[in-house]
């Protein structure tokens, strides 16, 4: 019997959750998108609809990198789409690996991997931002020349704030008055992250209308929309309602 996510229904997962049995996704039945006991955490990347999100991320990177290397020449500006696409792929992994966790032990491991992947994604995004800024200053290019530019600035500051809160909640909970108080903010951090992912999707889609893409890369608007629809289908049905306080 299949669930609403299209994945065969699993028997209930044995509780080993320290009182935190976050098993019910937004779409589907309890246990459909939850990490199995003793299962390697890497499987979290493809549980339920996760495989669709993985396909979307890989399609994005493949599309962008093919467009850059096939429609050269390779210039400093080329680093921007290359780095940002990889950064987004890494960010997707950080979400997918943590979503299915539900026991205390699973969450502890998942949070460490989530933090590490987010640090890698942040560093990759930073490379992309620095490359475009250096290119603009070197060539006296105009800032805020497109909708993509405005969205990119907002996304950059939003990401910075998201990372700052996430890393301090995890590594320095004393800033929030202790671990108990830090945990109260987690659901807002998650909500912000899921909305931010949609904003990042809009930012990438808007890049198809920039002069650089229209004149050089040739990435299609419809293709980017399809990729991000797949990403939404892959990520959002796996959201655990309990983790958002719903």
């Amino acid at each position: 019997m299949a669930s609403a996510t299209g994945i065969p229904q699993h028997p209930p997962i044995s509780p080993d959750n320290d009182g935190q049995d976050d098993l019910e996704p937004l779409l589907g039945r309890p246990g459909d998108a939850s990490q199995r006991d003793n299962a390697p955490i890497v499987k979290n990347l493809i549980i339920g609809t996760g495989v669709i999100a993985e396909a979307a991320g890989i399609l994005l990177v493949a599309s962008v990198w093919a467009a850059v290397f096939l429609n050269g020449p390779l210039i400093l500006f080329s680093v921007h789409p290359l780095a940002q696409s990889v950064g987004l792929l890494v960010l997707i992994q950080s979400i997918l690996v943590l979503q299915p966790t539900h026991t205390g032990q699973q969450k502890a491991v998942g949070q460490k991997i989530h933090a590490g992947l987010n640090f890698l994604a942040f560093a990759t995004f930073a490379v992309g931002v620095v490359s475009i800024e250096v290119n603009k200053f070197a060539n006296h290019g105009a800032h805020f020349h497109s909708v993509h530019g405005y969205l990119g600035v907002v996304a950059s500051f939003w990401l910075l704030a998201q990372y700052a809160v996430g890393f301090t909640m995890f590594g320095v909970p004393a800033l929030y008055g202790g671990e108990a108080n830090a945990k109260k903010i987690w659901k807002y951090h998650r909500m912000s992250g899921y909305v931010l992912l949609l904003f990042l999707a809009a930012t990438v889609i808007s890049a198809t209308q920039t002069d650089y893409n229209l004149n050089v890369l040739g990435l299609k608007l419809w293709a980017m929309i399809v990729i991000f629809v797949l990403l939404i289908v892959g990520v959002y049905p796996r959201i655990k309602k309990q983790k958002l306080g719903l």
Side-chain angles (χ1 to χ4, degrees), residues 112-239:
K112 292 178 182 178
I113 297 175
H114 178 76
L117 288 172
N118 270 292
F119 181 80
L120 178 59
F122 177 75
T124 308
F125 284 138
V127 169
V129 171
V130 169
S131 69
I132 196 171
E133 288 303 313
V134 171
N135 180 78
K136 283 185 177 293
F137 281 112
N139 295 285
H140 305 288
H143 286 76
F144 305 109
H145 183 60
S146 64
V147 172
H148 176 68
Y150 284 101
L151 294 181
V153 170
V154 175
S156 296
F157 282 104
W158 193 341
L159 276 167
L160 186 60
Q162 185 76 4
Y163 286 140
V165 172
F167 285 128
T168 53
M169 281 195 308
F170 177 72
V172 197
L175 291 177
Y176 302 90
E179 186 174 346
N181 287 334
K183 285 183 177 180
K184 294 178 182 178
I185 304 175
W186 282 357
K187 66 178 179 180
Y188 301 108
H189 175 71
R190 295 183 185 108
M191 290 177 185
S192 174
Y194 285 124
V195 177
L196 175 56
L197 184 61
L198 293 176
F199 191 85
L200 290 172
T203 303
V204 175
I205 290 172
S206 71
T208 62
Q209 304 306 300
T210 61
D211 293 340
Y212 179 63
N213 182 67
L214 294 173
N215 297 326
V216 180
L217 297 185
L219 290 166
K220 302 299 183 184
L221 173 62
W222 67 264
M224 291 297 105
I225 291 175
V226 168
I227 286 173
F228 284 106
V229 167
L230 290 175
L231 179 62
I232 290 169
V233 170
V235 170
Y236 290 83
R238 302 192 343 156
I239 295 174

Side-chain angles (χ1 to χ4, degrees), residues 9-75:
Q9 183 177 339
H10 296 298
I13 295 178
S14 300
D16 176 25
N17 51 21
D18 299 328
Q20 302 179 62
D21 52 343
D22 305 324
L23 301 180
E24 188 173 359
L26 285 181
L27 294 179
R29 297 176 182 273
D32 277 349
S34 295
Q35 183 178 347
R36 309 300 294 170
D37 291 338
N38 302 317
I41 198 166
V42 69
K43 285 189 175 182
N44 289 1
L45 300 175
I46 57 173
I47 288 176
T49 55
V51 67
I52 301 176
E54 288 288 7
I58 293 171
L59 279 173
L60 174 65
V61 171
S63 299
V64 172
W65 280 58
V68 170
F69 283 101
L70 294 178
N71 298 304
L74 293 177
I75 57 176

Side-chain angles (χ1 to χ4, degrees), residues 69-93:
F69 283 101
L70 294 178
N71 298 304
L74 293 177
I75 57 176
L76 180 59
F77 195 95
S78 304
V79 176
H80 180 70
L82 295 175
Q84 303 310 75
S85 61
V86 171
L88 188 52
L89 177 62
V90 176
L91 184 64
I92 293 168
Q93 309 311 305

